[in-house]
mmCIF file with all atom_site columns, all heavy atoms in Angstrom:
data_model
loop_
_atom_site.group_PDB
_atom_site.id
_atom_site.type_symbol
_atom_site.label_atom_id
_atom_site.label_alt_id
_atom_site.label_comp_id
_atom_site.label_asym_id
_atom_site.label_entity_id
_atom_site.label_seq_id
_atom_site.pdbx_PDB_ins_code
_atom_site.Cartn_x
_atom_site.Cartn_y
_atom_site.Cartn_z
_atom_site.occupancy
_atom_site.B_iso_or_equiv
_atom_site.pdbx_formal_charge
_atom_site.auth_seq_id
_atom_site.auth_comp_id
_atom_site.auth_asym_id
_atom_site.auth_atom_id
_atom_site.pdbx_PDB_model_num
ATOM 1  N N   . PHE A 1 243 ? -9.033  6.121  17.891 1.00 42.00 ? 996  PHE A N   1
ATOM 2  C CA  . PHE A 1 243 ? -8.841  5.189  18.995 1.00 42.00 ? 996  PHE A CA  1
ATOM 3  C C   . PHE A 1 243 ? -7.443  4.628  18.898 1.00 42.00 ? 996  PHE A C   1
ATOM 4  O O   . PHE A 1 243 ? -7.097  3.938  17.952 1.00 42.00 ? 996  PHE A O   1
ATOM 5  C CB  . PHE A 1 243 ? -9.864  4.057  18.932 1.00 42.00 ? 996  PHE A CB  1
ATOM 6  C CG  . PHE A 1 243 ? -9.787  3.114  20.098 1.00 42.00 ? 996  PHE A CG  1
ATOM 7  C CD1 . PHE A 1 243 ? -10.487 3.377  21.265 1.00 42.00 ? 996  PHE A CD1 1
ATOM 8  C CD2 . PHE A 1 243 ? -9.016  1.959  20.039 1.00 42.00 ? 996  PHE A CD2 1
ATOM 9  C CE1 . PHE A 1 243 ? -10.429 2.507  22.338 1.00 42.00 ? 996  PHE A CE1 1
ATOM 10 C CE2 . PHE A 1 243 ? -8.952  1.086  21.105 1.00 42.00 ? 996  PHE A CE2 1
ATOM 11 C CZ  . PHE A 1 243 ? -9.664  1.362  22.260 1.00 42.00 ? 996  PHE A CZ  1
ATOM 12 N N   . ASN A 1 244 ? -6.596  4.953  19.870 1.00 41.00 ? 997  ASN A N   1
ATOM 13 C CA  . ASN A 1 244 ? -5.267  4.393  19.952 1.00 41.00 ? 997  ASN A CA  1
ATOM 14 C C   . ASN A 1 244 ? -5.348  3.135  20.804 1.00 41.00 ? 997  ASN A C   1
ATOM 15 O O   . ASN A 1 244 ? -5.853  3.170  21.915 1.00 41.00 ? 997  ASN A O   1
ATOM 16 C CB  . ASN A 1 244 ? -4.310  5.416  20.577 1.00 41.00 ? 997  ASN A CB  1
ATOM 17 C CG  . ASN A 1 244 ? -2.884  4.911  20.628 1.00 41.00 ? 997  ASN A CG  1
ATOM 18 O OD1 . ASN A 1 244 ? -2.619  3.870  21.213 1.00 41.00 ? 997  ASN A OD1 1
ATOM 19 N ND2 . ASN A 1 244 ? -1.985  5.666  20.037 1.00 41.00 ? 997  ASN A ND2 1
ATOM 20 N N   . CYS A 1 245 ? -4.857  2.013  20.270 1.00 38.00 ? 998  CYS A N   1
ATOM 21 C CA  . CYS A 1 245 ? -5.073  0.731  20.940 1.00 38.00 ? 998  CYS A CA  1
ATOM 22 C C   . CYS A 1 245 ? -4.479  0.686  22.343 1.00 38.00 ? 998  CYS A C   1
ATOM 23 O O   . CYS A 1 245 ? -4.899  -0.097 23.176 1.00 38.00 ? 998  CYS A O   1
ATOM 24 C CB  . CYS A 1 245 ? -4.504  -0.408 20.105 1.00 38.00 ? 998  CYS A CB  1
ATOM 25 S SG  . CYS A 1 245 ? -5.534  -0.799 18.677 1.00 38.00 ? 998  CYS A SG  1
ATOM 26 N N   . SER A 1 246 ? -3.469  1.496  22.618 1.00 37.00 ? 999  SER A N   1
ATOM 27 C CA  . SER A 1 246 ? -2.877  1.486  23.942 1.00 37.00 ? 999  SER A CA  1
ATOM 28 C C   . SER A 1 246 ? -3.535  2.492  24.878 1.00 37.00 ? 999  SER A C   1
ATOM 29 O O   . SER A 1 246 ? -3.408  2.397  26.091 1.00 37.00 ? 999  SER A O   1
ATOM 30 C CB  . SER A 1 246 ? -1.373  1.792  23.861 1.00 37.00 ? 999  SER A CB  1
ATOM 31 O OG  . SER A 1 246 ? -1.165  3.085  23.331 1.00 37.00 ? 999  SER A OG  1
ATOM 32 N N   . LYS A 1 247 ? -4.266  3.454  24.293 1.00 39.00 ? 1000 LYS A N   1
ATOM 33 C CA  . LYS A 1 247 ? -4.850  4.505  25.116 1.00 39.00 ? 1000 LYS A CA  1
ATOM 34 C C   . LYS A 1 247 ? -6.009  5.151  24.368 1.00 39.00 ? 1000 LYS A C   1
ATOM 35 O O   . LYS A 1 247 ? -5.830  5.657  23.261 1.00 39.00 ? 1000 LYS A O   1
ATOM 36 C CB  . LYS A 1 247 ? -3.792  5.567  25.441 1.00 39.00 ? 1000 LYS A CB  1
ATOM 37 C CG  . LYS A 1 247 ? -4.308  6.710  26.285 1.00 39.00 ? 1000 LYS A CG  1
ATOM 38 C CD  . LYS A 1 247 ? -3.181  7.720  26.509 1.00 39.00 ? 1000 LYS A CD  1
ATOM 39 C CE  . LYS A 1 247 ? -3.671  8.931  27.310 1.00 39.00 ? 1000 LYS A CE  1
ATOM 40 N NZ  . LYS A 1 247 ? -2.596  9.927  27.470 1.00 39.00 ? 1000 LYS A NZ  1
ATOM 41 N N   . PRO A 1 248 ? -7.212  5.162  24.932 1.00 41.00 ? 1001 PRO A N   1
ATOM 42 C CA  . PRO A 1 248 ? -8.333  5.816  24.261 1.00 41.00 ? 1001 PRO A CA  1
ATOM 43 C C   . PRO A 1 248 ? -8.086  7.311  24.107 1.00 41.00 ? 1001 PRO A C   1
ATOM 44 O O   . PRO A 1 248 ? -7.576  7.960  25.024 1.00 41.00 ? 1001 PRO A O   1
ATOM 45 C CB  . PRO A 1 248 ? -9.519  5.554  25.209 1.00 41.00 ? 1001 PRO A CB  1
ATOM 46 C CG  . PRO A 1 248 ? -9.080  4.421  26.064 1.00 41.00 ? 1001 PRO A CG  1
ATOM 47 C CD  . PRO A 1 248 ? -7.597  4.545  26.201 1.00 41.00 ? 1001 PRO A CD  1
ATOM 48 N N   . MET A 1 249 ? -8.448  7.875  22.953 1.00 37.00 ? 1002 MET A N   1
ATOM 49 C CA  . MET A 1 249 ? -8.249  9.299  22.702 1.00 37.00 ? 1002 MET A CA  1
ATOM 50 C C   . MET A 1 249 ? -9.427  9.834  21.916 1.00 37.00 ? 1002 MET A C   1
ATOM 51 O O   . MET A 1 249 ? -10.218 9.080  21.362 1.00 37.00 ? 1002 MET A O   1
ATOM 52 C CB  . MET A 1 249 ? -6.944  9.510  21.905 1.00 37.00 ? 1002 MET A CB  1
ATOM 53 C CG  . MET A 1 249 ? -5.690  8.979  22.581 1.00 37.00 ? 1002 MET A CG  1
ATOM 54 S SD  . MET A 1 249 ? -4.242  9.124  21.540 1.00 37.00 ? 1002 MET A SD  1
ATOM 55 C CE  . MET A 1 249 ? -4.022  10.902 21.544 1.00 37.00 ? 1002 MET A CE  1
ATOM 56 N N   . ARG A 1 250 ? -9.537  11.149 21.834 1.00 38.00 ? 1003 ARG A N   1
ATOM 57 C CA  . ARG A 1 250 ? -10.568 11.792 21.018 1.00 38.00 ? 1003 ARG A CA  1
ATOM 58 C C   . ARG A 1 250 ? -9.918  12.506 19.849 1.00 38.00 ? 1003 ARG A C   1
ATOM 59 O O   . ARG A 1 250 ? -8.834  13.054 19.971 1.00 38.00 ? 1003 ARG A O   1
ATOM 60 C CB  . ARG A 1 250 ? -11.374 12.799 21.857 1.00 38.00 ? 1003 ARG A CB  1
ATOM 61 C CG  . ARG A 1 250 ? -12.133 12.197 23.022 1.00 38.00 ? 1003 ARG A CG  1
ATOM 62 C CD  . ARG A 1 250 ? -13.011 13.256 23.671 1.00 38.00 ? 1003 ARG A CD  1
ATOM 63 N NE  . ARG A 1 250 ? -13.722 12.749 24.838 1.00 38.00 ? 1003 ARG A NE  1
ATOM 64 C CZ  . ARG A 1 250 ? -13.273 12.845 26.082 1.00 38.00 ? 1003 ARG A CZ  1
ATOM 65 N NH1 . ARG A 1 250 ? -12.125 13.421 26.319 1.00 38.00 ? 1003 ARG A NH1 1
ATOM 66 N NH2 . ARG A 1 250 ? -13.987 12.363 27.084 1.00 38.00 ? 1003 ARG A NH2 1
ATOM 67 N N   . PHE A 1 251 ? -10.614 12.523 18.729 1.00 35.00 ? 1004 PHE A N   1
ATOM 68 C CA  . PHE A 1 251 ? -10.128 13.267 17.561 1.00 35.00 ? 1004 PHE A CA  1
ATOM 69 C C   . PHE A 1 251 ? -11.309 14.048 17.011 1.00 35.00 ? 1004 PHE A C   1
ATOM 70 O O   . PHE A 1 251 ? -12.354 13.494 16.733 1.00 35.00 ? 1004 PHE A O   1
ATOM 71 C CB  . PHE A 1 251 ? -9.593  12.328 16.508 1.00 35.00 ? 1004 PHE A CB  1
ATOM 72 C CG  . PHE A 1 251 ? -9.143  13.017 15.256 1.00 35.00 ? 1004 PHE A CG  1
ATOM 73 C CD1 . PHE A 1 251 ? -7.909  13.638 15.206 1.00 35.00 ? 1004 PHE A CD1 1
ATOM 74 C CD2 . PHE A 1 251 ? -9.959  13.074 14.141 1.00 35.00 ? 1004 PHE A CD2 1
ATOM 75 C CE1 . PHE A 1 251 ? -7.491  14.286 14.045 1.00 35.00 ? 1004 PHE A CE1 1
ATOM 76 C CE2 . PHE A 1 251 ? -9.556  13.714 12.988 1.00 35.00 ? 1004 PHE A CE2 1
ATOM 77 C CZ  . PHE A 1 251 ? -8.310  14.320 12.944 1.00 35.00 ? 1004 PHE A CZ  1
ATOM 78 N N   . PHE A 1 252 ? -11.140 15.366 16.868 1.00 33.00 ? 1005 PHE A N   1
ATOM 79 C CA  . PHE A 1 252 ? -12.252 16.201 16.419 1.00 33.00 ? 1005 PHE A CA  1
ATOM 80 C C   . PHE A 1 252 ? -11.789 17.131 15.295 1.00 33.00 ? 1005 PHE A C   1
ATOM 81 O O   . PHE A 1 252 ? -10.633 17.508 15.216 1.00 33.00 ? 1005 PHE A O   1
ATOM 82 C CB  . PHE A 1 252 ? -12.769 17.046 17.586 1.00 33.00 ? 1005 PHE A CB  1
ATOM 83 C CG  . PHE A 1 252 ? -13.227 16.241 18.754 1.00 33.00 ? 1005 PHE A CG  1
ATOM 84 C CD1 . PHE A 1 252 ? -12.476 16.216 19.928 1.00 33.00 ? 1005 PHE A CD1 1
ATOM 85 C CD2 . PHE A 1 252 ? -14.369 15.472 18.690 1.00 33.00 ? 1005 PHE A CD2 1
ATOM 86 C CE1 . PHE A 1 252 ? -12.880 15.464 20.998 1.00 33.00 ? 1005 PHE A CE1 1
ATOM 87 C CE2 . PHE A 1 252 ? -14.784 14.718 19.762 1.00 33.00 ? 1005 PHE A CE2 1
ATOM 88 C CZ  . PHE A 1 252 ? -14.037 14.708 20.929 1.00 33.00 ? 1005 PHE A CZ  1
#
Side-chain angles (χ1 to χ4, degrees):
F996 184 87
N997 183 302
C998 285
S999 62
K1000 180 182 178 183
M1002 301 175 70
R1003 298 186 183 93
F1004 177 80
F1005 302 108

